[in-house]
Amino acid sequence: MAKKLVIVESPAKAKTIVKYLGKDFDVKASMGHIRDLPKKNIGVDVEKNFQPHYVTDPRKKAVIQQLKNSAAKADEIYLASDHDREGEAIAWHLTHVLKKEIKDKPVHRIVFHEITKSALQEAVNNPREIDMKLVEAQQARRILDRLVGFELSPLLWRKIKPALSAGRVQSVAVRLIVEREKEIKAFEAKSWYRVQAWFTLEDDGQSYELKAESPVKFATEAEARALLEECIGTTFTISNIAKKPGYKNPSPPFTTSTLQQEASRRIGFSVSRTMRIAQKLYEAGHITYMRTDSVHLSKLALNMAKDVITERFGENYIKTRQYATKSKGAQEAHEAIRPTDMHNKVVSSDITEQRLYDLIWKRTLASQMKPATLERTTVVIDSTQRPAMLTAKGEVIVFDGFLKIYADRKGAAISDTLLPPIAVGDILNLQKMEADERFTQPPARYTEASLVKKLEELGIGRPSTYAPTISTIQKRDYVEKKDKDGIQRKFTLLRLEENHVRHHEKTETVGAEKSKLFPTDIGGLVNDFLTKYFDDVLDYNFTALVEKEFDDIADGNMEWHQMLKEFYTPFHKKIEDTQQEAKKFKGEKLLGNDPVTGKPVFVKIGRFGPMVQLGATKEDEKPRFASLPPNKTMEDCTLEDVVDLFKLPRTLGQFEGHDVIVSSGRFGPYIKCNKSNYSLQKTDDPFTIELDTAIKRIREKREADKQKVIAVFEDGDIQLLNGLYGPYMVVKGENYRLPKGTDPTTLDLAACKKIAAETKPSNKRWRKKK
DNA sequence: CAGTGAGCGAGCTTCCGCTTGACTT
């Protein structure tokens, strides 16, 4: 029987397809790219017209072997990788890696956008050749990224510090964060005054409140005060009530980027967590593919949404729509992210999986529901002296539409802002009038999700790389995700009370931040260096510009070697010039002179990151160094913040015949005594701590260690210990897990040796590195 | 986890985009 092999990218997709294709077909997954440039060296022969040197990934060995076996058995091969630039390249690489196995066999390239029997049939019936233009565009993309990354990074190692990295995507991501921080620093809040009034109304024995605001903002306290004073003893009348219909439309179904944003905003997931959970839902068959830039829904999905909405909410809620993808550089190889079967509202007993699914389910159905209809009311209130002095606003939902399942952007529950029963000509009873000082807001720091949004807008990065990019810039210490406490700010409140305008000083907490991205000193320095010498690559439009050229290559309007040459020649010259001319980039800053020694104190970036230096480098005496205090940056630390650092190490006295020394290490201050180290408590101040407290800490540590030890054999060569994750065994420095269900207290020497002989030590490479 | 930071020099680091496990403390 004729056997046809279909190769797709994802194993989950393979599993689904095989059901539709029948017995003649064998379906296998390539698991993404199977060949790439080598990891260790640049792998591009620039002299020979940018000849790439591809190697197969050693971790993909098993996958490739399987593909080879299947290909050898098949009579006909269908390369069904995704319908985009990378997918085309995967198909082409497959023909090379499987060269022997597919020799003399018909090889077809097929693409499909929906996984349905008819779509698959149609794809199989309409095979084509591999589009070499598209493959060349991918190669140009790959090679350009390699050249940029592998020439810029080593320059950073030489000029700034080892193990740094730069690239077309990550460096722009860092730049966005660094520049946003500069904007925030440079921002000066301006204040203005808002006037609000509260009225009481009686109707049918019921009492209501009406809140109104002045449509005019006041620049100064004096102006606001003048208005309030004018209102002493005045009469307020409703002069107009205007009603206007309004609409709210649902958002399109999810793409990777919008899913990440909404999951962050509504359920507080980090970008990587969202992707991990979405992957699980995808593998279980609950949602369509989660790495997509398309808002397109298949016909099948549109019909299913219609059915489910009718069933649950009635026909009146249906409005079928197909959304158009607007984002720059979208390749639309997949559908939007949606439930595979919208009849299922609950698909997992895992709470986090279900929460994410629920969000996808609601967003998808909402996108196929009618807009919400609103009635917006504006009430105009005149004072005796001033027409239209105040306005009050109300909003009522006439028809909820999609809001029935998907609340609007703020994520707040849907609630009407109801106005009390009122009519034109009503005279209002003033209860309270206030003018409070408001401030203009600085630009907001990025969250992981809002950075993804910005990158997508700029056309930088792809759905498969948003999460990894965010983690790379954090791993490199360019950026850190942290919280910031708010600060107290004074503001003025004027209140009209008892026919007087009184002045009150109030305070409020502002500027508190949670899980925001802050640039580090290193991030700032690397960005300064790159924007100074490589402004073109760091330009926000660089990606868009080269993408245009990749498209030209794909359309046959540009030759790929030529494109690379035009970029690389000036780029490489700049690399060489910078290599020659640029001095070491240390970001050195003089803070002042040390009050004790009179020597200059600097902050700068060294091999291990930011540090403080006491004394100039060229002097006879070697300068002293110290790490910055925790939570301080080079940017914001002062001389006072750092002079104490040089008081360490301090010798406090003796304990058990050894010096007790307080010192500062990689992980902050600690106590050293007889070759052992002991942590300080958070409340201990290393500069003032005394001997008795230090001895107490030493005893505490010893006590804790005793608790940790379950048993010791062979002079400490074999130890049974209590760890963070339960009991484990250490044999000559190697850690071993205990077999499940073992009670460690029952183990004797022989039993320990047996475990050590039978199990492998835990892999140490997983430790270290963050 | 633990006293880093000049000088010397070997040997290391690094990109983006497509996929999923393997794996531990």
Side-chain angles (χ1 to χ4, degrees), chain A residues 295-334:
Chain A
V295 288
H296 185 267
L297 291 176
S298 67
K299 272 187 218 128
L300 177 105
L302 293 177
N303 286 329
M304 191 172 12
K306 206 166 158 182
D307 289 348
V308 174
I309 294 164
T310 311
E311 260 167 50
R312 286 185 174 260
F313 313 110
E315 248 173 81
N316 192 30
Y317 277 88
I318 294 171
K319 179 171 170 147
T320 301
R321 300 180 189 75
Q322 191 63 264
Y323 294 83
T325 300
K326 277 183 295 197
S327 71
K328 234 189 226 176
Q331 310 211 358
E332 303 205 67
H334 304 273

Short mmCIF file of all heavy atoms in Angstrom, two decimals, chain A residues 295-334:
data_model
loop_
_atom_site.label_atom_id
_atom_site.label_comp_id
_atom_site.label_asym_id
_atom_site.label_seq_id
_atom_site.Cartn_x
_atom_site.Cartn_y
_atom_site.Cartn_z
N VAL A 295 -5.85 37.60 13.75
CA VAL A 295 -7.14 37.67 14.44
C VAL A 295 -8.22 36.96 13.61
O VAL A 295 -9.40 37.06 13.90
CB VAL A 295 -7.59 39.13 14.69
CG1 VAL A 295 -6.74 39.76 15.79
CG2 VAL A 295 -7.50 39.95 13.42
N HIS A 296 -7.77 36.24 12.62
CA HIS A 296 -8.70 35.54 11.72
C HIS A 296 -9.34 34.33 12.40
O HIS A 296 -8.68 33.61 13.13
CB HIS A 296 -7.92 35.09 10.48
CG HIS A 296 -8.78 34.47 9.44
ND1 HIS A 296 -9.00 33.11 9.37
CD2 HIS A 296 -9.50 35.02 8.43
CE1 HIS A 296 -9.80 32.85 8.35
NE2 HIS A 296 -10.12 33.99 7.77
N LEU A 297 -10.64 34.15 12.17
CA LEU A 297 -11.32 32.95 12.66
C LEU A 297 -11.79 32.13 11.46
O LEU A 297 -12.26 32.68 10.47
CB LEU A 297 -12.52 33.32 13.53
CG LEU A 297 -12.22 33.95 14.90
CD1 LEU A 297 -13.52 34.35 15.60
CD2 LEU A 297 -11.42 33.01 15.79
N SER A 298 -11.66 30.82 11.57
CA SER A 298 -12.10 29.95 10.48
C SER A 298 -13.62 29.98 10.35
O SER A 298 -14.32 30.36 11.29
CB SER A 298 -11.62 28.53 10.72
OG SER A 298 -12.29 28.00 11.86
N LYS A 299 -14.10 29.54 9.20
CA LYS A 299 -15.56 29.45 9.00
C LYS A 299 -16.18 28.57 10.06
O LYS A 299 -17.24 28.88 10.60
CB LYS A 299 -15.84 28.85 7.61
CG LYS A 299 -15.91 29.89 6.53
CD LYS A 299 -16.36 29.23 5.22
CE LYS A 299 -15.61 29.84 4.06
NZ LYS A 299 -14.97 28.85 3.19
N LEU A 300 -15.49 27.47 10.32
CA LEU A 300 -15.96 26.54 11.34
C LEU A 300 -16.14 27.25 12.69
O LEU A 300 -17.15 27.08 13.37
CB LEU A 300 -14.92 25.42 11.47
CG LEU A 300 -15.17 24.37 12.53
CD1 LEU A 300 -15.65 23.09 11.87
CD2 LEU A 300 -13.92 24.10 13.35
N ALA A 301 -15.14 28.07 13.03
CA ALA A 301 -15.18 28.77 14.31
C ALA A 301 -16.32 29.79 14.34
O ALA A 301 -17.04 29.92 15.33
CB ALA A 301 -13.85 29.46 14.58
N LEU A 302 -16.50 30.51 13.22
CA LEU A 302 -17.56 31.52 13.17
C LEU A 302 -18.93 30.86 13.36
O LEU A 302 -19.77 31.36 14.11
CB LEU A 302 -17.52 32.26 11.83
CG LEU A 302 -16.28 33.15 11.60
CD1 LEU A 302 -16.33 33.77 10.20
CD2 LEU A 302 -16.18 34.24 12.66
N ASN A 303 -19.13 29.71 12.70
CA ASN A 303 -20.41 29.02 12.84
C ASN A 303 -20.61 28.49 14.24
O ASN A 303 -21.71 28.54 14.79
CB ASN A 303 -20.49 27.87 11.83
CG ASN A 303 -20.72 28.40 10.42
OD1 ASN A 303 -21.35 29.45 10.24
ND2 ASN A 303 -20.17 27.71 9.43
N MET A 304 -19.52 27.96 14.82
CA MET A 304 -19.63 27.41 16.16
C MET A 304 -19.97 28.52 17.15
O MET A 304 -20.82 28.34 18.03
CB MET A 304 -18.31 26.74 16.54
CG MET A 304 -18.43 25.93 17.79
SD MET A 304 -17.00 24.91 18.21
CE MET A 304 -15.70 25.43 17.16
N ALA A 305 -19.33 29.68 16.99
CA ALA A 305 -19.60 30.80 17.90
C ALA A 305 -21.08 31.18 17.80
O ALA A 305 -21.75 31.42 18.82
CB ALA A 305 -18.71 31.98 17.54
N LYS A 306 -21.58 31.21 16.59
CA LYS A 306 -22.98 31.56 16.36
C LYS A 306 -23.91 30.60 17.11
O LYS A 306 -24.84 31.03 17.78
CB LYS A 306 -23.25 31.46 14.85
CG LYS A 306 -24.34 32.31 14.33
CD LYS A 306 -24.23 32.35 12.82
CE LYS A 306 -25.54 32.73 12.19
NZ LYS A 306 -25.44 32.72 10.72
N ASP A 307 -23.63 29.30 16.98
CA ASP A 307 -24.44 28.30 17.67
C ASP A 307 -24.40 28.47 19.18
O ASP A 307 -25.43 28.46 19.84
CB ASP A 307 -23.93 26.88 17.33
CG ASP A 307 -24.23 26.51 15.89
OD1 ASP A 307 -25.02 27.25 15.25
OD2 ASP A 307 -23.67 25.51 15.41
N VAL A 308 -23.20 28.62 19.70
CA VAL A 308 -23.06 28.68 21.15
C VAL A 308 -23.72 29.95 21.71
O VAL A 308 -24.40 29.91 22.74
CB VAL A 308 -21.57 28.62 21.57
CG1 VAL A 308 -21.40 28.83 23.07
CG2 VAL A 308 -20.97 27.27 21.17
N ILE A 309 -23.57 31.06 20.99
CA ILE A 309 -24.19 32.31 21.45
C ILE A 309 -25.71 32.19 21.42
O ILE A 309 -26.40 32.61 22.35
CB ILE A 309 -23.71 33.51 20.60
CG1 ILE A 309 -22.22 33.74 20.82
CG2 ILE A 309 -24.49 34.78 20.94
CD1 ILE A 309 -21.55 34.62 19.78
N THR A 310 -26.22 31.58 20.36
CA THR A 310 -27.67 31.38 20.27
C THR A 310 -28.17 30.54 21.44
O THR A 310 -29.13 30.90 22.12
CB THR A 310 -28.04 30.66 18.95
OG1 THR A 310 -27.40 31.33 17.89
CG2 THR A 310 -29.55 30.66 18.75
N GLU A 311 -27.48 29.46 21.67
CA GLU A 311 -27.87 28.56 22.77
C GLU A 311 -27.86 29.26 24.11
O GLU A 311 -28.77 29.12 24.90
CB GLU A 311 -26.84 27.42 22.88
CG GLU A 311 -27.24 26.12 22.25
CD GLU A 311 -26.02 25.22 22.16
OE1 GLU A 311 -25.33 25.06 23.20
OE2 GLU A 311 -25.74 24.72 21.06
N ARG A 312 -26.79 30.03 24.35
CA ARG A 312 -26.61 30.58 25.69
C ARG A 312 -27.31 31.91 25.91
O ARG A 312 -27.80 32.18 27.00
CB ARG A 312 -25.13 30.78 25.99
CG ARG A 312 -24.43 29.47 26.25
CD ARG A 312 -23.00 29.71 26.67
NE ARG A 312 -22.39 28.45 27.05
CZ ARG A 312 -22.24 28.05 28.31
NH1 ARG A 312 -22.62 28.83 29.30
NH2 ARG A 312 -21.69 26.89 28.59
N PHE A 313 -27.33 32.75 24.87
CA PHE A 313 -27.84 34.11 25.08
C PHE A 313 -28.97 34.49 24.14
O PHE A 313 -29.59 35.52 24.30
CB PHE A 313 -26.70 35.13 24.92
CG PHE A 313 -25.45 34.75 25.65
CD1 PHE A 313 -24.32 34.36 24.98
CD2 PHE A 313 -25.43 34.76 27.05
CE1 PHE A 313 -23.17 33.99 25.66
CE2 PHE A 313 -24.29 34.39 27.74
CZ PHE A 313 -23.15 34.01 27.05
N GLY A 314 -29.21 33.69 23.14
CA GLY A 314 -30.27 33.99 22.18
C GLY A 314 -29.74 34.65 20.92
O GLY A 314 -28.68 35.28 20.93
N GLU A 315 -30.51 34.50 19.86
CA GLU A 315 -30.10 34.99 18.54
C GLU A 315 -29.82 36.48 18.51
O GLU A 315 -29.01 36.97 17.75
CB GLU A 315 -31.23 34.70 17.54
CG GLU A 315 -30.88 33.67 16.51
CD GLU A 315 -32.10 33.33 15.70
OE1 GLU A 315 -32.40 34.10 14.77
OE2 GLU A 315 -32.76 32.30 15.99
N ASN A 316 -30.53 37.18 19.38
CA ASN A 316 -30.43 38.63 19.43
C ASN A 316 -29.03 39.13 19.76
O ASN A 316 -28.72 40.29 19.59
CB ASN A 316 -31.44 39.14 20.46
CG ASN A 316 -31.61 40.63 20.35
OD1 ASN A 316 -31.46 41.19 19.26
ND2 ASN A 316 -31.89 41.28 21.48
N TYR A 317 -28.18 38.23 20.26
CA TYR A 317 -26.84 38.64 20.68
C TYR A 317 -25.78 38.42 19.60
O TYR A 317 -24.63 38.76 19.76
CB TYR A 317 -26.44 37.90 21.96
CG TYR A 317 -26.99 38.57 23.19
CD1 TYR A 317 -28.26 38.24 23.68
CD2 TYR A 317 -26.26 39.55 23.85
CE1 TYR A 317 -28.78 38.87 24.79
CE2 TYR A 317 -26.77 40.19 24.96
CZ TYR A 317 -28.03 39.85 25.44
OH TYR A 317 -28.53 40.48 26.53
N ILE A 318 -26.20 37.81 18.48
CA ILE A 318 -25.21 37.44 17.46
C ILE A 318 -24.85 38.60 16.55
O ILE A 318 -25.72 39.33 16.07
CB ILE A 318 -25.77 36.31 16.58
CG1 ILE A 318 -25.93 35.06 17.44
CG2 ILE A 318 -24.84 36.01 15.40
CD1 ILE A 318 -26.65 33.97 16.73
N LYS A 319 -23.57 38.78 16.35
CA LYS A 319 -23.13 39.59 15.23
C LYS A 319 -21.81 38.99 14.72
O LYS A 319 -20.75 39.14 15.34
CB LYS A 319 -22.90 41.05 15.64
CG LYS A 319 -22.41 41.85 14.44
CD LYS A 319 -22.36 43.32 14.69
CE LYS A 319 -21.62 43.95 13.52
NZ LYS A 319 -22.06 45.26 13.17
N THR A 320 -21.90 38.28 13.61
CA THR A 320 -20.73 37.59 13.10
C THR A 320 -19.79 38.58 12.42
O THR A 320 -20.21 39.41 11.63
CB THR A 320 -21.17 36.50 12.10
OG1 THR A 320 -22.04 35.60 12.79
CG2 THR A 320 -19.99 35.73 11.56
N ARG A 321 -18.52 38.51 12.80
CA ARG A 321 -17.53 39.43 12.22
C ARG A 321 -16.26 38.69 11.89
O ARG A 321 -15.86 37.77 12.59
CB ARG A 321 -17.12 40.50 13.23
CG ARG A 321 -18.18 41.40 13.78
CD ARG A 321 -17.46 42.34 14.75
NE ARG A 321 -18.37 43.15 15.54
CZ ARG A 321 -19.06 42.69 16.56
NH1 ARG A 321 -18.99 41.42 16.90
NH2 ARG A 321 -19.83 43.50 17.25
N GLN A 322 -15.59 39.14 10.86
CA GLN A 322 -14.22 38.70 10.59
C GLN A 322 -13.34 39.93 10.79
O GLN A 322 -13.57 40.95 10.17
CB GLN A 322 -14.12 38.17 9.15
CG GLN A 322 -12.81 37.45 8.86
CD GLN A 322 -12.61 36.19 9.70
OE1 GLN A 322 -11.94 36.23 10.72
NE2 GLN A 322 -13.19 35.09 9.27
N TYR A 323 -12.35 39.83 11.67
CA TYR A 323 -11.49 40.97 11.96
C TYR A 323 -10.29 40.98 11.02
O TYR A 323 -9.83 39.94 10.55
CB TYR A 323 -11.01 40.94 13.41
CG TYR A 323 -12.13 41.12 14.40
CD1 TYR A 323 -12.93 40.04 14.79
CD2 TYR A 323 -12.42 42.37 14.93
CE1 TYR A 323 -13.97 40.19 15.69
CE2 TYR A 323 -13.46 42.54 15.83
CZ TYR A 323 -14.22 41.45 16.21
OH TYR A 323 -15.25 41.62 17.11
N ALA A 324 -9.76 42.17 10.77
CA ALA A 324 -8.58 42.28 9.92
C ALA A 324 -7.35 42.50 10.79
O ALA A 324 -7.37 43.32 11.70
CB ALA A 324 -8.76 43.44 8.96
N THR A 325 -6.30 41.78 10.49
CA THR A 325 -5.06 41.92 11.26
C THR A 325 -4.37 43.21 10.86
O THR A 325 -4.14 43.45 9.69
CB THR A 325 -4.15 40.72 11.00
OG1 THR A 325 -4.83 39.55 11.41
CG2 THR A 325 -2.85 40.85 11.77
N LYS A 326 -4.05 44.01 11.87
CA LYS A 326 -3.47 45.30 11.56
C LYS A 326 -1.97 45.36 11.87
O LYS A 326 -1.26 46.21 11.39
CB LYS A 326 -4.16 46.40 12.38
CG LYS A 326 -5.46 46.87 11.74
CD LYS A 326 -6.08 47.99 12.54
CE LYS A 326 -6.50 47.50 13.91
NZ LYS A 326 -7.42 48.30 14.65
N SER A 327 -1.51 44.43 12.72
CA SER A 327 -0.15 44.61 13.24
C SER A 327 0.90 44.47 12.14
O SER A 327 0.76 43.69 11.21
CB SER A 327 0.12 43.65 14.39
OG SER A 327 0.22 42.34 13.92
N LYS A 328 1.95 45.25 12.34
CA LYS A 328 3.04 45.34 11.37
C LYS A 328 3.74 44.00 11.25
O LYS A 328 4.01 43.34 12.24
CB LYS A 328 4.05 46.34 11.93
CG LYS A 328 4.39 47.47 10.99
CD LYS A 328 5.56 48.26 11.57
CE LYS A 328 5.32 49.75 11.51
NZ LYS A 328 6.38 50.50 12.14
N GLY A 329 4.03 43.60 10.04
CA GLY A 329 4.85 42.41 9.85
C GLY A 329 4.14 41.10 10.15
O GLY A 329 4.77 40.06 10.26
N ALA A 330 2.81 41.14 10.31
CA ALA A 330 2.09 39.91 10.61
C ALA A 330 2.19 38.95 9.44
O ALA A 330 2.15 39.35 8.28
CB ALA A 330 0.63 40.22 10.91
N GLN A 331 2.36 37.67 9.74
CA GLN A 331 2.50 36.68 8.67
C GLN A 331 1.29 35.76 8.56
O GLN A 331 1.13 35.03 7.60
CB GLN A 331 3.78 35.87 8.90
CG GLN A 331 4.96 36.79 9.15
CD GLN A 331 6.28 36.22 8.68
OE1 GLN A 331 6.36 35.12 8.18
NE2 GLN A 331 7.33 37.01 8.83
N GLU A 332 0.46 35.76 9.59
CA GLU A 332 -0.83 35.08 9.57
C GLU A 332 -0.79 33.64 9.09
O GLU A 332 -1.53 33.23 8.22
CB GLU A 332 -1.82 35.87 8.70
CG GLU A 332 -1.97 37.30 9.21
CD GLU A 332 -3.30 37.90 8.83
OE1 GLU A 332 -4.31 37.42 9.35
OE2 GLU A 332 -3.30 38.83 8.01
N ALA A 333 0.08 32.85 9.70
CA ALA A 333 0.13 31.44 9.35
C ALA A 333 -0.90 30.62 10.12
O ALA A 333 -1.19 29.49 9.76
CB ALA A 333 1.53 30.89 9.61
N HIS A 334 -1.43 31.21 11.19
CA HIS A 334 -2.38 30.48 12.02
C HIS A 334 -3.65 31.29 12.22
O HIS A 334 -3.71 32.45 11.86
CB HIS A 334 -1.76 30.19 13.40
CG HIS A 334 -0.47 29.46 13.32
ND1 HIS A 334 -0.38 28.09 13.27
CD2 HIS A 334 0.81 29.90 13.27
CE1 HIS A 334 0.88 27.73 13.19
NE2 HIS A 334 1.63 28.82 13.18
#
